[in-house]
Amino acid sequence: MCDLVARTGRHQQRYEGGCRLLAGCIPFRYKSSDENQKVVEVLMISSQSGPGLLFPKGGWENDETVEEAAKREAIEEAGVRGDLEDFLGSYYFKSKSNQDEFCPEGLCKASVFAMRVNEELELWPEKSTRQRTWLMVPEAIKLCRYPWMKEALEKDFSQRYCIDSAGNKND
């Protein structure tokens, strides 16, 4: 039995300037391909509302920091724990399904971090509704459901974490 329970509802969520505030992360690990080169893999999860893969994210609540919210979402949605390494950026998007009285236009601002995974849980709150998949970054870019997540992965994450064929970080 899983002792973790996903938070639900919006009564404790943060809003700013007409936007619902979200927190999320791009979970990753290094996979060694040989002695001199590390390859980055990212963890993506299935969507509950349609095709395509995404990264864990959700509402940032009043009783937590943005970093705590990002880590909580990684546990709830992807069943992973890890260390937040870098703030990748804030991404604005419009959500069709997340319109409410505080955010009637469905505008969202997601704060996204890179999270180096150090534990994969066997049981997690959304295990019955999500599948998780480790992917190489080029494949993840192709399968990413949302343009803003693709931008976070392709531009901000890849520039910091991806290794070229010579084993050097892309700068």
Side-chain angles (χ1 to χ4, degrees):
M1 182 79 184
C2 182
D3 61 346
L4 301 170
V5 177
R7 292 186 178 197
T8 58
R10 298 222 177 126
H11 59 281
Q12 290 293 324
Q13 295 199 353
R14 294 178 189 236
Y15 293 84
E16 176 183 273
C19 289
R20 180 173 172 235
L21 301 182
L22 306 174
C25 65
I26 297 178
F28 75 97
R29 67 184 179 190
Y30 289 111
K31 179 180 177 183
S32 295
S33 60
D34 63 40
E35 292 179 14
N36 300 318
Q37 186 176 3
K38 289 183 179 178
V39 175
V40 175
E41 292 181 312
V42 294
L43 183 69
M44 298 190 81
I45 56 175
S46 60
S47 171
Q48 293 178 324
S49 62
L53 297 175
L54 43 96
F55 296 108
K57 61 102 179 96
W60 172 14
E61 299 193 357
N62 291 324
D63 65 345
E64 60 191 353
T65 66
V66 69
E67 293 86 359
E68 290 168 341
K71 287 182 170 188
R72 176 180 50 77
E73 290 296 335
I75 292 169
E76 287 179 5
E77 294 186 352
V80 293
R81 288 190 175 113
D83 298 314
L84 298 182
E85 293 203 351
D86 284 312
F87 174 69
L88 299 176
S90 294
Y91 304 89
Y92 292 86
F93 64 97
K94 189 171 183 176
S95 173
K96 292 178 184 172
S97 63
N98 288 329
Q99 298 170 345
D100 60 27
E101 64 184 293
F102 302 107
C103 186
E105 298 297 318
L107 299 176
C108 298
K109 176 184 172 185
S111 297
V112 179
F113 298 84
M115 185 180 85
R116 188 167 185 173
V117 173
N118 56 37
E119 182 182 6
E120 288 183 60
L121 304 173
E122 288 185 36
L123 298 173
W124 68 95
E126 296 185 18
K127 180 179 179 156
S128 65
T129 58
R130 304 252 190 213
Q131 293 180 13
R132 58 186 181 193
T133 307
W134 286 102
L135 298 164
M136 305 292 283
V137 172
E139 186 69 10
I141 290 168
K142 289 179 193 173
L143 297 173
C144 196
R145 179 175 182 178
Y146 297 116
W148 70 271
M149 285 187 180
K150 183 176 179 179
E151 176 187 343
L153 177 61
E154 196 169 28
K155 294 180 182 174
D156 300 316
F157 179 87
S158 293
Q159 288 179 2
R160 292 181 175 117
Y161 293 95
C162 289
I163 309 297
D164 67 17
S165 59
N168 301 311
K169 275 190 177 179
N170 294 332
D171 291 323

